[in-house]
């Protein structure tokens, strides 16, 4: 079924992160490729690296000016979901993940990718320390709620991601 529907609506996910995930899943993010198709830009190439088509996968995961954060996210999640690909990550295909890891994996994905997206649209380069800082803030917030166990699992994922 549609596990992404459940993952986007989980308690513990902020409205902002939930909204970002919906936009990503429904292909509503204005990538260079999409803007070019609509006639809003002259070129479909990535506005940061200027080497590859600015597809969603490139802009969030593959661009070499993302400080490798998208690839770190994918590699980290692949330790828990070995069959996960870049495309399946962008569709939140986390069905084989244990249920207690749904919120931590979704938060790791949402915070990382929304931070990458925000940085790409406001500056020229993503920095891994900024992504980690956003993730740490999310953990600190979770620890003060009924999602403390999710915070502990998210901390494990972050430690794996930035080891």
């Amino acid at each position: 079924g549609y596990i992404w529907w459940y993952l986007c609506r989980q308690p513990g996910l902020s409205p902002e992160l939930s909204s970002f995930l919906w936009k990503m899943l429904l292909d509503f993010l204005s990538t260079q490729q999409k803007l070019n198709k609509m006639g809003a830009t002259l070129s479909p190439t990535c506005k940061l690296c200027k080497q590859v088509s600015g597809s969603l996968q490139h802009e969030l995961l593959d661009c070499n000016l993302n400080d490798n954060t998208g690839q770190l996210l994918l590699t980290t999640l692949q330790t828990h979901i070995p069959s996960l690909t870049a495309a399946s990550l962008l569709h939140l295909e986390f069905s084989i993940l244990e249920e207690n890891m749904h919120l931590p994996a979704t938060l790791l994905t949402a915070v990382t990718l929304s931070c990458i997206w925000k940085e790409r649209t406001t500056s020229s380069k993503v920095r891994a320390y900024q992504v980690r800082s956003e993730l740490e803030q999310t953990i600190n917030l979770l620890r003060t709620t009924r999602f403390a166990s999710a915070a502990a699992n998210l901390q494990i994922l972050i430690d794996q991601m930035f080891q």
Side-chain angles (χ1 to χ4, degrees):
Y2 289 81
I3 188 164
W4 55 266
W5 172 260
Y6 158 76
L7 293 173
C8 285
R9 301 182 72 235
Q10 290 179 89
L13 209 57
S14 72
E16 181 186 344
L17 290 175
S18 187
S19 175
F20 172 79
L21 288 175
W22 281 113
K23 289 174 189 170
M24 179 183 81
L25 288 162
L26 297 172
D27 197 24
F28 288 163
L29 295 175
S30 299
T31 62
Q32 284 301 110
Q33 196 173 57
K34 194 170 189 180
L35 289 170
N36 180 255
K37 276 185 190 168
M38 295 185 312
T41 60
L42 296 174
S43 170
T45 59
C46 173
K47 68 181 182 180
L48 295 187
C49 74
K50 298 181 182 10
Q51 296 172 5
V52 183
S53 177
S55 67
L56 186 64
Q57 180 176 323
H58 173 78
E59 291 191 16
L60 291 178
L61 299 175
D62 300 335
C63 183
N64 60 7
L65 294 178
N66 286 350
D67 206 10
N68 205 34
T69 50
Q71 287 303 311
L72 288 173
L73 169 67
L74 180 60
T75 304
T76 301
L77 291 175
Q78 284 171 335
T79 63
H80 300 274
I81 311 168
S83 62
L84 193 69
T85 63
S88 59
L89 170 59
L90 295 176
H91 289 103
L92 298 182
E93 293 175 12
F94 298 167
S95 56
I96 67 163
L97 205 53
E98 309 87 59
E99 197 169 327
N100 69 327
M101 291 301 286
H102 282 169
L103 181 58
T106 304
L107 280 167
L108 184 73
T109 302
V111 171
T112 301
L113 297 181
S114 70
C115 189
I116 290 170
W117 186 255
K118 228 179 296 174
E119 289 304 312
R120 287 183 65 88
T121 56
T122 59
S123 68
S124 60
K125 195 172 179 189
V126 177
R127 306 241 185 261
Y129 72 86
Q130 292 168 308
V131 174
R132 184 170 189 152
S133 174
E134 290 275 333
L135 288 163
E136 297 289 349
Q137 288 176 33
T138 302
I139 284 180
N140 289 335
L141 185 63
L142 279 180
R143 285 185 178 135
T144 66
T145 69
R146 63 188 171 115
F147 302 108
S149 62
N153 286 331
L154 180 56
Q155 185 67 60
I156 291 167
L157 291 173
I158 291 170
D159 290 344
Q160 285 177 341
M161 187 166 157
F162 293 103
Q163 61 184 340

